[in-house]
Amino acid sequence: MKLTREFYAKETLQVAKELLGKVVVHEVNGVKLKGKIVETEAYIGSIDKASHAYGGKKTPRLEALYGKPGIAYVYFIYGMYHCFNVITEKEGSPEGVLIRAIEPIDGIDEMSKLRFNKVYNELTKAQFKNLSSGPSKLCIAMNINKENNKQDLCSGNLYIEESMDKEKIEIIEAKRIGIDYAEEAKDFKWRFYIKDNVWVSVK
């Protein structure tokens, strides 16, 4: 079952934690690519110097950040990679959660081809572990790009659903990655991940 608008409209840190264990689905050319979310990062524009929208910054690139909860914010970094975020709280409040790592579940052959141009059986152990253990890696493996920016996750072919796996998870809270420029915000423990999951990008 797809997550509803009400799920995303909650407080951002809560959503970041509750997304762990949920499943990202992207239906591409008749194939469902699926991965369990194992790591997230929260961003709250009003108080967060690591946020693209800190200080009320508004540009065409940031339009999605100010959109309604439950839409995708996909942005380009380093001129070559994408990152996938979900918008939270309420429209007009620039808050969201970065999906930082997933554990591949279904469509793994297709994900392997997208990421390494090989089928799953041809991957080395290191390649398999690196298939989706980072925000840009998972975007390549899940075929998520700028075309998905502003897409409504409550409808359409990119969405997040409840997991059938009811295993209890232990959540670790840690500092976010790659934001040393963000002054005091670099120390916020707004990264959340499933303890002992091998797909987590940084432990």
Side-chain angles (χ1 to χ4, degrees), residues 70-139:
I71 67 168
Y73 170 42
V74 181
Y75 61 86
F76 207 41
I77 58 170
Y78 309 131
M80 62 179 79
Y81 300 120
H82 293 96
C83 289
F84 168 45
N85 304 255
V86 299
I87 298 306
T88 55
E89 277 278 358
K90 60 181 184 282
E91 190 165 3
S93 178
E95 303 187 28
V97 176
L98 171 68
I99 308 303
R100 189 166 176 86
I102 60 171
E103 177 180 334
I105 297 175
D106 285 335
I108 298 177
D109 264 349
E110 186 63 26
M111 293 168 77
S112 300
K113 289 178 198 172
L114 287 163
R115 180 96 166 84
F116 294 112
N117 202 29
K118 299 177 182 179
V119 295
Y120 163 63
N121 287 338
E122 295 174 343
L123 298 183
T124 65
K125 284 184 179 179
Q127 285 176 324
F128 185 54
K129 188 176 176 182
N130 279 288
L131 191 59
S132 53
S133 57
S136 298
K137 296 175 188 178
L138 75 87
C139 281

